[in-house]
Amino acid sequence: MGASANADVVLREIEDELIVAGTNLLKLRFSSSCDEVIARLLRAEAILKRVGQVKGSPMLMKKALFPIMTALIKDKLLKHRDENVQVIVASCLNQATRITAPQQPYMDDQMRDMFGLFMVVLRGQLSRLTGDNYDRAVKILHFMGLGRTVLIMMDLDIDQMIVDMFQFFFDTISPNYPPVIFQYMEDVMTLVIEESDEVSLELLTPLLDSVRMDNKNVSPVSWELGKAVFEKCSTKLQPYLKEAVKKMNLEVSDYAEIVVSLCTTENMLEEKTASAPSEAEQAGPTSQVNDGEVVQLEMDIGVHQHRRGRKPNSLMRPEEGYEHIWRIGDENSSKVSRDSAEEPNTGKRGRSKVVKERGSKSFKKTTGLSTVEIGNKINSQNHESRDDVADEVIKIIIVNIKTSFFLIRCQL
């Protein structure tokens, strides 16, 4: 009984601290000093690390997260020019992604900006090998694989960013890095390849370049990383590897043994198949095309326009049920079931437009303002005016959230 009471007290302390930290971040202006911004971000980061996943958490925790989640995605933080600010914002967003998993914390455009910031931080900090910012970058890389957040990148159609990430991994990895960095990079690349509907030539190119024979001496760790990915994903990569060798007119002997092995095995199977008459030949010209030819035909006419088709976000598991962080306080935001995920009125990747509209209404119910009203109030102003208008909006949001806290706690 005592332990439970203590846990409730700690939870309420975290909720209160989240509101204060979020409010302080929202009050930052474009003219705020870097020292002030960093100090407030560090406080927010420390509190976010104490928060467990939102799924199954009390409604009050979701409400408490709202100010800080809103502040992190604003231009004054997300697109800040100071390197230290960028790293801490990315760290906070990484924590937000962990907390809201398996649901993505923001809308698609904001998620693209978030992953863009992640790439900036990884490029700038991993090479440092020591320090707080390096540790933050390592945690971002780790969670991209462990939390499978890299799969969100695939669903956002930012293919070039993923290709650039692969190239960055191979260009950056060196003997100076601890083994965990090698493992995290391998995990991320393996996950992307295995979860792709098809592997593009653009994605395969940096992987092939890494295992060229001449790279073995120039960059042995990069060589080993590429070889490890090829070995783990050999079954998935084999048909695309064969096509790449043909299109690029490559000499397989110039590459690692795993490449030679995959190409040789495929060729042996082809020769064996070619030596025997096909079922189509035996049955005559009226016979149906076999499955392999149908698949090849579909690839030729570009049926598979997206690597993952129109799959829902890979972190979402409808059978387990989930709620979006922004649909806090909505009595109608019941857990989404597998049946509801199949509503005919859907947008990109099968997400229901009805759910989006319901989320916007519940946002207004929680904060007192709709997302459209807030956007119109703030985005129509210049930087200085935005700060003044934002202050008014912040006051309304915080008053509504604090009022909700008071009313709900009075009922407990």
Side-chain angles (χ1 to χ4, degrees), residues 7 45 131 143 175 200 229 247 252 292 303 318-319 348-349 351 381 391 407:
E45 180 188 40
F143 195 69
S200 68
V229 175
K247 282 186 176 181
V252 293
V303 171
E319 67 273 13
K348 186 179 178 184
R349 294 190 300 286
R351 292 177 300 178
Q381 310 295 322
D391 283 343
L407 294 175

Side-chain angles (χ1 to χ4, degrees), residues 288-306:
Q288 292 185 346
V289 188
N290 64 49
D291 290 342
E293 292 170 331
V294 171
V295 172
Q296 184 60 49
L297 177 62
E298 289 178 341
M299 293 177 67
D300 290 343
I301 63 176
V303 171
H304 301 294
Q305 296 178 0
H306 302 288

Side-chain angles (χ1 to χ4, degrees), residues 10 15 21 34 42 91 109 147 153-154 163 208 237 265 275 279 286 291 293 309 316 319 322 369 375 380 390 405:
V10 171
E15 291 167 352
C34 283
L42 287 174
S91 176
D109 287 343
M153 293 179 69
M154 297 168 65
V163 172
L208 271 169
L237 287 173
T265 302
S275 64
E279 293 181 8
T286 58
D291 290 342
E293 292 170 331
M316 300 179 188
E319 67 273 13
Y322 59 85
L369 291 171
S380 62
F405 265 64

Side-chain angles (χ1 to χ4, degrees), residues 20 29 31 50 56 66 105 121 187 231 240 277 286 357 360 362:
V20 172
R29 294 176 174 270
S31 58
R50 299 172 62 192
F66 177 79
V121 170
D187 290 344
E231 289 171 350
Y240 302 102
T286 58
E357 292 172 2
S360 178
S362 62

Side-chain angles (χ1 to χ4, degrees), residues 359-394:
S360 178
K361 291 177 182 178
S362 62
F363 182 100
K364 182 172 184 177
K365 182 173 181 179
T366 302
T367 64
L369 291 171
S370 71
T371 51
V372 175
E373 289 170 332
I374 290 178
N376 290 340
K377 279 179 175 290
I378 297 177
N379 292 330
S380 62
Q381 310 295 322
N382 58 36
H383 282 179
E384 296 304 321
S385 298
R386 282 183 189 177
D387 286 333
D388 296 332
V389 175
D391 283 343
E392 297 179 11
V393 174
I394 290 165

Side-chain angles (χ1 to χ4, degrees), residues 119-386:
M119 294 303 107
V120 169
V121 170
L122 291 178
R123 288 178 181 276
Q125 304 304 320
L126 280 182
S127 59
R128 296 182 182 277
L129 298 177
T130 59
D132 292 339
N133 286 347
Y134 165 76
D135 291 339
R136 291 183 177 101
V138 171
K139 289 177 182 177
I140 290 172
L141 176 62
H142 185 201
F143 195 69
M144 288 180 71
L146 178 67
R148 301 169 68 86
T149 52
V150 70
L151 299 185
I152 300 178
M153 293 179 69
M154 297 168 65
D155 289 338
L156 292 174
D157 298 326
I158 45 178
D159 294 358
Q160 189 57 51
M161 187 183 295
I162 296 174
V163 172
D164 292 343
M165 178 179 67
F166 272 45
Q167 188 64 61
F168 164 68
F169 287 170
F170 290 124
D171 290 344
T172 304
I173 194 68
S174 73
N176 296 327
Y177 283 104
V180 292
I181 301 298
F182 183 102
Q183 187 61 56
Y184 294 163
M185 290 180 175
E186 179 186 336
D187 290 344
V188 170
M189 289 191 286
T190 299
L191 194 55
V192 169
I193 292 169
E194 290 295 342
E195 290 292 332
S196 294
D197 285 340
E198 58 186 57
V199 180
S200 68
L201 183 61
E202 290 77 15
L203 191 64
L204 190 57
T205 297
L207 191 58
L208 271 169
D209 289 343
S210 71
V211 292
R212 288 183 61 89
M213 293 301 294
D214 53 9
N215 194 46
K216 187 174 184 179
N217 294 325
V218 175
S219 183
V221 184
S222 176
W223 159 282
E224 290 296 335
L225 179 60
K227 189 158 69 77
V229 175
F230 260 113
E231 289 171 350
K232 276 196 172 182
C233 307
S234 58
T235 302
K236 185 63 175 279
L237 287 173
Q238 191 175 46
Y240 302 102
L241 177 60
K242 175 195 170 186
E243 189 67 23
V245 169
K246 184 185 300 183
K247 282 186 176 181
M248 300 170 70
N249 196 26
L250 302 178
E251 180 58 56
V252 293
S253 60
D254 292 339
Y255 295 85
E257 184 179 346
I258 180 64
V259 174
V260 177
S261 175
L262 290 175
C263 289
T264 303
T265 302
E266 187 71 19
N267 289 335
M268 288 174 62
L269 290 174
E270 280 188 352
E271 291 172 5
K272 183 176 179 181
T273 303
S275 64
S278 67
E279 293 181 8
E281 291 174 343
Q282 293 176 351
T286 58
S287 177
Q288 292 185 346
V289 188
N290 64 49
D291 290 342
E293 292 170 331
V294 171
V295 172
Q296 184 60 49
L297 177 62
E298 289 178 341
M299 293 177 67
D300 290 343
I301 63 176
V303 171
H304 301 294
Q305 296 178 0
H306 302 288
R307 291 171 302 165
R308 291 166 54 76
R310 295 181 63 83
K311 295 180 181 178
N313 185 293
S314 304
L315 294 183
M316 300 179 188
R317 296 179 176 83
E319 67 273 13
E320 296 177 5
Y322 59 85
E323 292 180 340
H324 195 286
I325 181 66
W326 300 132
R327 271 189 274 137
I328 48 182
D330 184 1
E331 299 116 350
N332 296 322
S333 64
S334 57
K335 292 186 177 181
V336 179
S337 65
R338 187 181 295 275
D339 293 335
S340 64
E342 298 175 355
E343 289 178 331
N345 186 20
T346 56
K348 186 179 178 184
R349 294 190 300 286
R351 292 177 300 178
S352 171
K353 295 178 182 177
V354 174
V355 170
K356 288 184 179 180
E357 292 172 2
R358 193 166 59 221
S360 178
K361 291 177 182 178
S362 62
F363 182 100
K364 182 172 184 177
K365 182 173 181 179
T366 302
T367 64
L369 291 171
S370 71
T371 51
V372 175
E373 289 170 332
I374 290 178
N376 290 340
K377 279 179 175 290
I378 297 177
N379 292 330
S380 62
Q381 310 295 322
N382 58 36
H383 282 179
E384 296 304 321
S385 298
R386 282 183 189 177

